[in-house]
Amino acid sequence: MMRTNIPGLLLLFFVPYFVNANDNLPGFTKRNNPAIEVRVQQLLKKMTLEEKIGQMTQINIDVIGKGDNIYSSYLPFQFDEKMVELILGKYKVGSILNTAAVTAMTRADWERIIIHLQKKAIATTGIPLIYGVDEIHGATYTQDATLMPQSVNMGATFNRDLVYESAKVCAYETKASNVPWNFSPVLDLGRDPRWPRQWETYGEDAYLVGEMGKQMILGYQGNSKMIGKDQVAACLKHYLGYGVPYSGKDRTPAIISEQELREKHFAPFAESIRAGALTVMVNSGLINGYPVHANKKLITGWLKNGLNWDGVVVTDWADINNIWQRDKIVADQKEAILLAINAGIDMAMVPYDCSYCDLLLELVKEGKVSMQRIDDAVARILRLKLRLNLFDRPYWPASDYPDFGSAAFTGTSYAAAAESITLLKNSNGILPLRKNARILVTGPNANSMRVLNGGWSYSWQGNKVDSLMPQGVTILKAMQSKFGKEHISYEPGVTYNMEGKYWEENKPDIEAVVKAAASVDYIVLCIGENSYAETPGNLDDLHLSTNQQELARALASTGKPLILVLNEGRPRIISGIEPLATAIVQTYLPGSQGGLALADILSGEVNPSGKLPYTYPKHPNSLTTYDHKPSESVDRMPGVYDYDAVLSVQWAFGYGLSYTSFNYSNLVISKPVFGANDILRVSVDVMNTGSHAGKEAVLLFINDQVASLTPDVRRLRRFDKISLAPGEKKTVSFTIPARDLAFINQQNRPVIEKGDFTIQVGTLASTIKCKETLEFKP
């Protein structure tokens, strides 16, 4: 029996994101095209119910390929024509996803596969398929594609232009593979280092994620009514609150207040919708005990109605089935489909069978799902296909994309890697390393392209990168090239079991490394994680592995300067070995050019300019974010017992060193006293006072000193990145509408309250005052 008292179905559709009346119209309205709307209605009138349900269905490619079963296929991919007829002929499925055997294919294979599928689909219904793939840091499922740094690196650059350019490269090479729909960007907040998908995010801060998300949308889709030849449709994921599971494990429940959900988690999605994003993928988990895939309030209320958005909402992998099989909200698949479709799901990533089609057909005939809801979903899907020009150009020759894998694209990847790598420690200016020094390169991350790229790299888990990127430049190879092979020795000491779980390591040989260290001047120890993606990356202990810590201790005991190179998807705790290191460099997952970028930084050819896009934890029981509440970090209170709630972190959000020094001065604020509808203008002078040219990410924080709901200790409100020659000074200016300082109050409405705010830029701070309280219209 289906339950009827379901909180997710409340019809209180507040709009959680407020827009000033003077703002430009949201980006997606620029794509409104009357001719497309006429065509959509013409197609709907001609379609049968079965054809419409087919358009709402997405099937994995392995189902229609020859293989041992529907869950896998042989390579090179060959069609099982009986299954093609079943999926595209009988069920008239409108979308296929994924790569065969979750392994990167050649462009020739992609072209052959897409042409065959499109011809069959068009012959059956007259409507082209839309093919979707997860291409989160380049065309990750196409061999020889340019692999960019992962999103966590892009956040660390604090450079919008680099994010935009990397998205353009990814769109071009994805389109060169005959794929028009990219399941990217990830707009979840990486606020929990236990979570195995933190590296897929741009960091822990909502504003940073929102800004980078907008650049990804513009790079993927452009800014015109139609998606161009070199562009793809973006898919924002995972809507909503996916990145903060209570347990830290992937796809497990989250507990999030509505204020937090609106103010932080929803905001990046709203920004990217306003930038023109065409599709959204839904969170696989639960929020406050209810599956997001069944939550009409969040999908139809906040997203579709609240933002007046006409795009497509697609499920994540098999998540309608999870409503009943995993979450136990209803008793069977049919009831789960009823909940999801009526909540606002437009397309189901089924992904292995068509029972969904049969059951949805029954629900419509029974009157439980209205034709209005079906037509709305199908209209959104048809509109997307028309915006992508798939009716006129359902496939194309790879030769139309001669810049695939070009040196220019490689240069973009290198630039992003170089600006993301973050210098965390540099005692006595040990870095850059002196020329002609003898260097020992060691550790499990020293000689593998897999670890530099991480998951979603030529395969789901990233475990095939080394075989598919044989000419890749590892950290070891880059160091040999930069410093000369005769100056580099190598002994790994600890190695990963590349055939096992991501965390499995082989028996270490620490003694051999200590022996090799005897004849060198410096030790570069490359540590961190092997590649992983999603649930296989779950962990029980956030500490760096015991073997790697023991290796660091043994090398530190030699007395040689120890440089730790961190290469990890999430910040593993290293507080036990951090004091032993002379220098520490965080590379995150820097992509195919990460080894070269690191070597250039260690040699001094490149000055590091990355800053942490998250808070690096020091202890596993002291996990926090920079925008925590005041009560989370209190030592003593007058007249009260020792209130031991002091936070201790390894490094703060926004932290990162340089080989030069910067001085901040002359902080100017246009309105020391301001109204709720005013515009604040803030400027600051930044001078390079060192001897090296450098880049500096200028971060502007604001905190509300007193609020009716306890405020965050501070919030990032603006940032910019500048380049400065030695002795050069620049003025950096920011414009901030006062409404951006609003918070969501107990009535779940945005409000700015009368009182003091502190603006901080670099080492400078100033207090300003809001003269009024104003609750903004939702």
Side-chain angles (χ1 to χ4, degrees):
M1 179 67 68
M2 191 179 101
R3 300 172 186 172
T4 56
N5 185 20
I6 298 174
L9 296 182
L10 294 174
L11 298 180
L12 301 176
F13 294 156
F14 298 111
V15 182
Y17 184 80
F18 48 100
V19 181
N20 187 280
N22 296 321
D23 276 354
N24 292 327
L25 290 174
F28 60 83
T29 64
K30 299 175 185 176
R31 300 189 192 278
N32 287 348
N33 186 326
I36 285 180
E37 297 308 311
V38 169
R39 185 82 182 278
V40 166
Q41 294 305 314
Q42 290 173 341
L43 289 166
L44 280 175
K45 290 178 182 178
K46 295 178 181 179
M47 295 172 69
T48 65
L49 176 57
E50 289 79 4
E51 288 173 338
K52 292 177 179 179
I53 290 173
Q55 289 297 305
M56 298 171 65
T57 308
Q58 188 177 62
I59 295 293
N60 187 51
I61 187 175
D62 288 330
V63 173
I64 55 177
K66 292 181 179 179
D68 294 333
N69 49 51
I70 62 172
Y71 306 109
S72 64
S73 52
Y74 304 137
L75 294 177
F77 182 84
Q78 296 296 324
F79 286 103
D80 180 336
E81 293 297 347
K82 289 184 179 179
M83 291 303 295
V84 172
E85 179 58 33
L86 176 70
I87 298 301
L88 300 186
K90 178 180 178 181
Y91 284 103
K92 302 168 178 55
V93 165
S95 183
I96 305 292
L97 83 152
N98 217 350
T99 185
V102 292
T103 301
M105 298 188 293
T106 66
R107 283 192 291 161
D109 279 335
W110 277 115
E111 185 177 341
R112 171 179 61 84
I113 290 166
I114 300 299
I115 288 174
H116 185 80
L117 292 174
Q118 291 289 28
K119 286 183 175 179
K120 175 63 177 177
I122 292 169
T124 303
T125 64
I127 299 172
L129 287 167
I130 182 168
Y131 205 105
V133 176
D134 294 271
E135 311 271 52
I136 68 169
H137 69 122
T140 52
Y141 279 152
T142 302
Q143 292 179 25
D144 301 321
T146 306
L147 295 187
M148 296 290 164
Q150 295 281 4
S151 295
V152 66
N153 288 75
M154 304 309 295
T157 68
F158 283 86
N159 187 327
R160 295 175 179 84
D161 292 339
L162 277 176
V163 174
Y164 171 74
E165 291 299 328
S166 72
K168 284 179 63 178
V169 172
C170 178
Y172 182 96
E173 294 196 346
T174 299
K175 205 64 172 289
S177 309
N178 264 268
V179 175
W181 189 13
N182 187 6
F183 302 143
S184 172
V186 173
L187 297 186
D188 305 307
L189 305 185
R191 297 173 69 81
D192 189 333
R194 300 172 300 168
W195 187 49
R197 305 191 74 167
Q198 189 188 45
W199 51 270
E200 294 185 52
T201 78
Y202 298 100
E204 70 183 36
D205 178 70
Y207 177 72
L208 174 62
V209 172
E211 289 297 294
M212 297 316 196
K214 286 193 293 186
Q215 296 305 314
M216 293 296 288
I217 299 310
L218 295 173
Y220 282 160
Q221 297 186 173
N223 198 26
S224 63
K225 291 185 177 181
M226 298 290 287
I227 302 299
K229 168 182 169 291
D230 299 340
Q231 297 159 347
V232 295
C235 186
L236 313 179
K237 62 185 190 182
H238 307 83
Y239 182 84
L240 185 65
Y242 180 49
V244 288
Y246 185 75
S247 71
K249 301 287 199 297
D250 187 37
R251 285 176 164 81
T252 57
I255 301 172
I256 312 172
S257 71
E258 183 155 328
Q259 289 86 5
E260 182 95 353
L261 195 63
R262 290 170 181 259
E263 188 173 324
K264 294 181 179 176
H265 297 273
F266 184 79
F269 286 90
E271 288 290 344
S272 288
I273 291 294
R274 293 179 67 221
L278 294 178
T279 71
V280 166
M281 185 183 294
V282 179
N283 172 5
S284 294
L286 300 91
I287 296 178
N288 302 334
Y290 199 71
V292 181
H293 277 78
N295 197 315
K296 189 171 185 178
K297 179 179 179 180
L298 295 183
I299 298 173
T300 297
W302 289 21
L303 179 62
K304 291 183 172 181
N305 292 347
L307 295 175
N308 190 30
W309 181 62
D310 64 3
V312 173
V313 175
V314 61
T315 75
D316 205 338
W317 190 268
D319 275 330
I320 291 181
N321 282 343
N322 282 334
I323 292 173
W324 70 282
Q325 291 178 327
R326 182 193 66 190
D327 299 331
K328 313 299 181 183
I329 296 297
V330 291
D332 58 35
Q333 182 184 6
K334 187 173 180 179
E335 292 186 2
I337 294 169
L338 175 62
L339 280 184
I341 299 303
N342 282 341
I345 294 296
D346 300 312
M347 181 184 291
M349 190 184 292
V350 176
Y352 286 118
D353 68 80
C354 290
S355 57
Y356 160 84
C357 299
D358 296 327
L359 294 172
L360 182 53
L361 181 64
E362 291 178 13
L363 288 167
V364 176
K365 291 182 176 179
E366 293 166 3
K368 295 178 179 177
V369 173
S370 69
M371 279 305 304
Q372 181 181 13
R373 173 76 269 272
I374 296 294
D375 283 347
D376 171 65
V378 178
R380 292 169 181 268
I381 294 164
L382 294 174
R383 185 180 296 118
L384 173 63
K385 293 180 177 184
L386 287 162
R387 285 170 168 166
L388 284 165
N389 200 33
L390 291 176
F391 282 82
D392 295 331
R393 192 171 183 252
Y395 48 84
W396 41 88
S399 58
D400 283 0
Y401 297 85
D403 293 333
F404 181 94
S406 66
F409 290 174
T410 299
T412 300
S413 180
Y414 171 86
E419 284 204 29
S420 68
I421 293 174
T422 306
L423 181 61
L424 298 175
K425 186 177 183 179
N426 194 21
S427 299
N428 303 316
I430 192 75
L431 298 178
L433 299 175
R434 62 180 171 83
K435 292 182 179 179
N436 299 319
R438 296 167 299 171
I439 303 169
L440 170 62
V441 177
T442 181
N445 293 61
N447 196 28
S448 168
M449 294 305 296
R450 171 180 176 175
V451 297
L452 290 176
N453 286 281
W456 299 110
S457 301
Y458 292 165
S459 67
W460 177 37
Q461 294 298 309
N463 58 319
K464 299 180 181 179
V465 175
D466 287 315
S467 62
L468 292 175
M469 194 182 286
Q471 304 305 314
V473 181
T474 64
I475 293 173
L476 173 62
K477 291 178 181 178
M479 293 292 287
Q480 290 172 335
S481 176
K482 180 60 59 177
F483 291 92
K485 284 187 177 182
E486 68 276 14
H487 297 296
I488 302 295
S489 55
Y490 170 63
E491 188 67 52
V494 175
T495 57
Y496 298 117
N497 176 8
M498 293 299 191
E499 303 302 322
K501 305 290 187 182
Y502 83 92
W503 44 263
E504 292 179 354
E505 296 171 352
N506 299 313
K507 184 178 180 180
D509 188 357
I510 295 176
E511 183 178 346
V513 185
V514 172
K515 183 177 179 180
S519 60
V520 302
D521 302 308
Y522 302 103
I523 301 168
V524 175
L525 174 55
C526 306
I527 55 179
E529 297 183 310
N530 201 355
S531 71
Y532 54 84
E534 300 191 76
T535 303
N538 284 342
L539 53 65
D540 294 318
D541 186 355
L542 194 55
H543 285 96
L544 186 70
S545 78
T546 300
N547 285 339
Q548 294 184 55
Q549 292 194 62
E550 288 302 316
L551 177 59
R553 291 188 179 96
L555 290 172
S557 71
T558 67
K560 302 297 177 68
L562 179 62
I563 294 94
L564 295 184
V565 173
L566 306 180
N567 173 205
E568 54 190 4
R570 57 196 152 196
R572 302 300 289 266
I573 292 175
I574 59 168
S575 52
I577 60 174
E578 178 274 331
L580 307 177
T582 310
I584 302 176
V585 181
Q586 172 64 284
T587 69
Y588 315 95
L589 298 173
S592 60
Q593 302 304 302
L596 291 166
L598 173 66
D600 285 344
I601 286 172
L602 295 181
S603 71
E605 186 173 323
V606 170
N607 190 349
S609 64
K611 292 185 182 292
L612 286 175
Y614 53 62
T615 302
Y616 203 115
K618 191 172 186 178
H619 306 289
N621 283 7
S622 189
L623 304 181
T624 189
T625 56
Y626 88 95
D627 53 348
H628 58 268
K629 301 300 182 183
S631 61
E632 294 180 66
S633 187
V634 176
D635 187 2
R636 291 181 181 272
M637 299 171 64
V640 183
Y641 66 93
D642 186 1
Y643 192 97
D644 187 7
V646 180
L647 288 173
S648 178
V649 302
Q650 195 73 62
W651 293 287
F653 170 87
Y655 180 82
L657 302 174
S658 171
Y659 293 155
T660 191
S661 55
F662 299 97
N663 181 65
Y664 286 71
S665 64
N666 195 29
L667 178 63
V668 177
I669 303 169
S670 62
K671 294 186 177 183
V673 178
F674 64 94
N677 287 310
D678 284 346
I679 303 293
L680 301 175
R681 291 176 174 82
V682 180
S683 65
V684 66
D685 292 341
V686 184
M687 183 175 183
N688 183 343
T689 55
S691 58
H692 294 77
K695 297 178 180 179
E696 172 74 342
V698 181
L699 312 184
L700 185 151
F701 296 92
I702 299 181
N703 79 286
D704 191 346
Q705 293 188 6
V706 177
S708 57
L709 279 181
T710 184
D712 297 330
V713 294
R714 62 178 186 161
R715 292 285 296 276
L716 179 70
R717 296 299 187 184
R718 292 294 183 270
F719 65 86
D720 198 2
K721 195 162 191 179
I722 57 173
S723 298
L724 292 171
E728 184 180 8
K729 181 169 68 174
K730 289 183 179 179
T731 298
V732 180
S733 300
F734 300 102
T735 299
I736 310 168
R739 73 176 186 278
D740 283 7
L741 308 185
F743 65 94
I744 303 299
N745 64 13
Q746 288 181 299
Q747 290 71 46
N748 293 317
R749 297 173 69 89
V751 63
I752 187 169
E753 294 179 339
K754 181 179 180 179
D756 292 342
F757 293 78
T758 300
I759 295 180
Q760 177 191 352
V761 187
T763 57
L764 306 177
S766 182
T767 299
I768 58 176
K769 183 182 293 290
C770 182
K771 62 185 179 182
E772 62 184 333
T773 295
L774 179 64
E775 189 175 88
F776 294 92
K777 292 182 179 180

